Amino acid sequence: MTELALDIRGISKRYAEHTAVRSLSLAVPTGAVYGLLGPNGAGKTTSIRMILNIIAPDTGTVTILGRSNTDPGILDQIGYLPEERGLYKKMQVHRVLRFLAELKGVDAKEADRRIHQWMERFDLTTAGKDWGVAKLEELSRGMQQKVQFIGTLIHDPDLVILDEPFSGLDPINAQALKDTVVELKKRGKTVIFSTHLMDNAERLCDSVCIIARGEKVLDGTVSGVKAEHGGNNVALAVGAGGTEVLAEVLAKLLADHTMIEKVDDSNRFFEIRLQAGADPQALLRTIIAAGVPVQRFELVQPSLHQIFLEKVGATGVEPGMSGHG
Amino acid sequence: MAKLWVVIKREYLERVRTKWFIIATIFGPLFFGSIMIVPGYISARTVRDSKIGNLRILDATGTGLGARVAAKMAVSQQAVGSATQVITLSSAALTEAESTATIAVMQKKDQGYLVLDSTTLTRLTARYAGSNASAFGETQAVENAVRQSLLQTRLEQAGLDAQRVDSLTKVKVNMSVEKIDEKGRGGSGMASALFGFAIAFLLYFSIIFYGQNIMSGVLDEKTSRVSEVVLSSVGPDTLLAGKILGVGAVGLTQQIAWIGSTALVWKFRAVVMAKLGVPMPAFTLPPISIGMLCLLVAYFVLGFLLYASLFAAVGAISGDQQEARQAAAPVTMMLVAAMVFAQPVLFAPTSTLAKVVSLIPVTAPVIMPLRMSATQVPALEIALSLAGVALACAAAIWASARIYRVGLLMTGKRLSIANVLLIIKLGRS
């Protein structure tokens, strides 16, 4: 088995009006859950399309499971769920899934067997009703999402690429998706998903890459990235009536630039970044001395969300770019 | 190849399974059959139903011509029992009699009146006025009766015996028209023309119908975003080829079904027509050689590929159905132009116009088969025309594949002509 499921070296894509991806390199280990993070328009979808050879990069190479992505048959080992989802609406569900399976080289008989299993697992075939014979347009949106998800995995791919998989999912389908990602990882499969939702990435990913304006900003394991950017953050929660006093204290401390650098009010708690070399105990003493009823005072690593905001800022999108990531 | 086959299979099966395909395939032959039988039936009924009842003949010839015309009318109109009234009168009384007859027609007592006066015998003129004056079949029946009666009267005046005149002038000619080409005598000229037109129409209809079918298929894949999923498994060229071949196969299936069942209707038309009481038209279909059949298939296949790839490109650059209809207009117009030329080419298949439009690649697939059924086209012209269509076809496929590859992933953005030309030139956006 090869070490890397995906090895991207220096891919770029330039359009007439703008550069969508600029010399991007990534290394995704086999069996990892990998997050491609970035704001809308950062170049995520263009990168994914280049991985899948849907569009050709201007420069650079893409190697999947040790083979070039232009090798015949290599794409059969990838399952892809695009951001903008849709299937043949007038086709029967079973026929759509068999078509997708056959496109990936699964023979019809084996496809039928797998379709049956998946349909039962996702409650699309029950004792009372078989949605397999219904046309896709007769299904609810949630059911259509399930069908699309089955279509992505029906050929049992070794590499699964999910582009913004959580967008538009209802909570039940979102949970089913998370469960499936975890299960895929347990079976040794590699999952890459793009998202701009940091909470999901933080919970699911082993490694991440943040891209903005078509360029890589940082990458590494989630714990490594956090360790590199953290260690000096405090999560602080206060009891009833303490918020106003705390706000006054924090404003004062922010103004003199000696103890704290930044405060993020997350409603239920404050995430505070200390100045380099500042002592957290001194901060705790100052707050207690001011009479604030402290409920939680914890040294924490910064969230991916914090790191993302810090690295990308509010303007991670290059002017003139729109639509896909 | 395996993936191409999967795409072809889907395109083919999903279309032949639809209700409209089954209905069109079944009703097509009924439609074509009725085209063969109904006109004959209607015209036969029309002749029989031409009632020239209550006709007034004002005879001022003094030769008994009016009575003779009435007798002829009675023979030809016996089925409906016409009531022809002959009034023999002098030339002087004619004006007043005409006024009276006009009032009778206006009051709907009579259907019309026929004036035979002194000029009828000398200058061969007659006048008819009536409420049915615009009915061609009916006025022609009156004219026939007058002509025959005049002929008899003139022959009698020339000294022939009345009975001999009667037997000699009862002549009915049944003329059949036959086409002769280099290989000898073929089917009837009329049949050849009709056959040629039918083939041209079938090609035109199939190309435009299935071409637009491909366009909406491409558009559907694009707007439903399914194209991105499919493109992660097969290349755009395979997808385009599979779509065109699959839909083309649907068209061929339908045509084979139509031609086969129409041939059956043709075979049993005598039985059907006899049941309806319609006389069998006296023509036979022109014989089709294997060579001719191969050429017809070649023109259909090349013509279809040419237009299908153009329609696919239109689908790929459009954002919705309305945009696609507008963008498809130039493509459709080229085909419509071919049909506009069909009639002049049929009437003058050796004219310069016919030669030119059967060589232009965009009109050739429809016009050349039509011309070939109407006249003997030199082999060189056929070869040139086929080569032209093949070249245009290759160019259209090449350009369309480039447009298709890029257009399929561009959503919500309408491409200008300049954009499209740039894509064709660069092969990307």
Side-chain angles (χ1 to χ4, degrees), chain B residues 205-265:
Chain B
F205 172 79
S206 305
I207 290 172
I208 209 160
F209 185 80
Y210 286 103
Q212 290 189 338
N213 197 297
I214 284 181
M215 180 179 80
S216 58
V218 170
L219 192 62
D220 192 40
E221 276 182 357
K222 188 179 157 170
T223 51
S224 72
R225 321 288 174 145
V226 69
S227 51
E228 190 151 349
V229 176
V230 179
L231 286 178
S232 71
S233 300
V234 297
D237 295 353
T238 310
L239 183 58
L240 179 64
K243 190 169 281 294
I244 290 177
L245 293 177
V247 177
V250 178
L252 271 180
T253 306
Q254 190 157 61
Q255 282 179 13
I256 289 167
W258 280 352
I259 290 170
S261 45
T262 306
L264 271 182
V265 175

Side-chain angles (χ1 to χ4, degrees), chain A residues 14-15 49 52 54-55 75-76 80 82 84-88 91 95 99-100 102-104 148, chain B residues 3 6-7 9-10 14 17 221 224-226 228-234 409 411 413 428-429:
Chain A
R14 213 188 138 65
Y15 291 108
R49 283 177 175 175
L52 292 160
I54 294 176
I55 50 178
L75 293 178
D76 291 355
Y80 174 45
E84 307 234 31
R85 293 182 271 270
L87 290 170
Y88 297 102
M91 260 178 106
R95 287 177 183 157
F99 170 67
L100 293 175
E102 284 188 26
L103 272 188
K104 292 289 191 184
Q148 184 115 33
Chain B
K3 293 191 177 183
V6 174
V7 177
K9 202 167 74 175
R10 193 201 82 83
E14 283 306 308
R17 276 175 184 147
E221 276 182 357
S224 72
R225 321 288 174 145
V226 69
E228 190 151 349
V229 176
V230 179
L231 286 178
S232 71
S233 300
V234 297
L409 295 172
T411 49
K413 210 192 261 183
R428 62 185 189 85
S429 61

